[in-house]
Amino acid sequence: MELYTYYRSTASYRVRIALALKGLDYQALPVNLLAAGGGANRQPEYLRINPQGRVPALRTDDGELLIQSLAIIEYLEERYPQVPLLSQELAARAHERAVALLIGCDIHPLHNSSTQNLLRQWGYDEARVLEWIGYWISNGLAAVEQLIGEQGYCFGEQPGLADTFLIPQLYAAERFKVPLDAYPRIRRVAALAAEHPAFQKAHPANQPDTPA
């Protein structure tokens, strides 16, 4: 498999975690979002891979080209079920997906680079942009704190779908200096993930395109 990725893209980070948790090999194909000309993701070569011009994209071992992190992870879950990321029980899976969707649809889009750039175009200075980012990350994490369990990872002793979304979101919170003091459950999950080899392997600090 080939993963089009960028080291600090939280969406790419989610897929790297899922691949690592499942023990799947892949070739990382870095896409520099900050390259000259608006980023490598905006060049014709990459737009032929993903017309949305975003990462990640995954070329599967049978040649399918997939986009959108949740769709990619759900594909991996169905194609390689041996290390499950979702519970067996129906309602539990819905709760796990709800946390992933809360992060992927309600938090992340409000602070990603395209949103930040639009705010700057509208005249927001950096202080206001950071205020915007901090508000939406804090607002979303406050809800996640109430939805996850009181021990282990988000929903049990083994990491799963919700954790693949939460840990990259916490990386973003750290980047933007959003405090986590009010979220003891979330901090517990972060501490567990920090010691887990799959999360370590997927971390932005350990990617082939991480700046030296």
Side-chain angles (χ1 to χ4, degrees):
M1 289 187 285
E2 296 175 332
L3 179 66
Y4 296 87
T5 180
Y6 180 60
Y7 79 102
R8 72 178 187 191
S9 156
T10 55
S12 299
Y13 190 178
R14 298 166 193 157
V15 175
R16 295 197 303 261
I17 293 170
L19 287 162
L21 286 170
K22 288 180 173 292
L24 298 172
D25 292 328
Y26 65 93
Q27 180 183 2
L29 301 176
V31 180
N32 187 347
L33 304 188
L34 301 181
N41 55 310
R42 297 296 178 188
Q43 303 310 307
E45 309 91 88
Y46 187 73
L47 291 174
R48 286 193 288 271
I49 294 165
N50 182 355
Q52 193 181 17
R54 297 194 174 185
V55 290
L58 180 75
R59 193 181 303 279
T60 69
D61 49 12
D62 55 4
E64 289 291 334
L65 193 56
L66 308 177
I67 66 168
Q68 288 293 332
S69 60
L70 182 59
I72 293 170
I73 294 171
E74 291 270 15
Y75 167 86
L76 295 173
E77 180 71 353
E78 294 177 11
R79 176 70 175 81
Y80 306 99
Q82 297 86 349
V83 181
L85 301 180
L86 286 164
S87 299
Q88 294 301 307
E89 198 269 317
L90 186 62
R93 291 202 298 273
H95 290 305
E96 292 159 1
R97 287 187 172 107
V99 168
L101 288 166
L102 190 161
I103 294 168
C105 299
D106 296 340
I107 305 177
H108 177 227
L110 291 170
H111 71 73
N112 69 10
S113 58
S114 58
T115 301
Q116 292 180 50
N117 291 337
L118 186 58
L119 290 172
R120 293 181 183 106
Q121 290 174 26
W122 286 350
Y124 281 58
D125 61 22
E126 290 305 308
R128 289 302 304 276
V129 171
L130 285 174
E131 183 180 3
W132 168 282
I133 292 170
Y135 174 82
W136 289 114
I137 292 179
S138 298
N139 182 277
L141 291 182
V144 171
E145 177 74 9
Q146 300 305 311
L147 292 170
I148 64 177
E150 296 182 354
Q151 58 185 4
Y153 288 89
C154 285
F155 290 100
E157 294 305 311
Q158 299 301 320
L161 178 68
D163 305 283
T164 70
F165 276 72
L166 178 59
I167 296 305
Q169 186 57 60
L170 300 183
Y171 172 77
E174 181 181 4
R175 276 186 62 208
F176 297 117
K177 298 179 170 54
V178 178
L180 302 178
D181 299 347
Y183 317 122
R185 295 180 183 182
I186 285 174
R187 288 188 283 108
R188 180 202 72 232
V189 174
L192 288 171
E195 300 298 321
H196 194 296
F199 289 92
Q200 294 170 351
K201 181 179 180 180
H203 193 279
N206 299 320
Q207 303 313 304
D209 57 330
T210 305

